[in-house]
Amino acid sequence: MWAQVLMAVIGLSAGMVVAGGLFSFISELGVVSDFADRTHTGEHILLYENSVALGGILGNIFFIYGIRIPFGTWQKLPDIKIKNTGGK
């Protein structure tokens, strides 16, 4: 039993490390700063980077604990049928 608990802790820790690495990689590439530059809102860059990090943390927590956020229902797109004209 203790081996399973240890494996669960190691697995969750590894997942959090990978998620943190991905977000630091995105920040290091300058994706967030490029968006701020294009929208001419560079004075808010720290807010943008904190928002990206907070989104990653909350996404991890919501996924791990199965927290659901009611925000509406998904609509199925209608099927589009294309008539075959036979190349005419």
Side-chain angles (χ1 to χ4, degrees):
M1 172 163 156
W2 288 107
Q4 291 176 344
V5 171
L6 180 64
M7 293 289 282
V9 169
I10 290 172
L12 289 174
S13 299
M16 288 183 198
V17 167
V18 169
L22 175 67
F23 283 105
S24 66
F25 183 68
I26 289 172
S27 296
E28 185 64 31
L29 283 179
V31 173
V32 177
S33 60
D34 281 346
F35 288 147
D37 186 38
R38 289 182 188 181
T39 58
H40 307 294
T41 56
E43 64 271 6
H44 301 294
I45 191 71
L46 291 177
L47 174 66
Y48 297 151
E49 289 179 351
N50 288 339
S51 298
V52 168
L54 182 63
I57 291 168
L58 290 177
N60 241 347
I61 290 171
F62 289 172
F63 181 76
I64 289 171
Y65 293 109
I67 300 171
R68 301 282 180 217
I69 302 173
F71 56 86
T73 60
W74 289 96
Q75 298 288 329
K76 182 179 183 270
L77 295 176
D79 292 331
I80 299 173
K81 296 186 181 193
I82 299 173
K83 184 178 177 183
N84 187 359
T85 59
K88 295 180 182 178

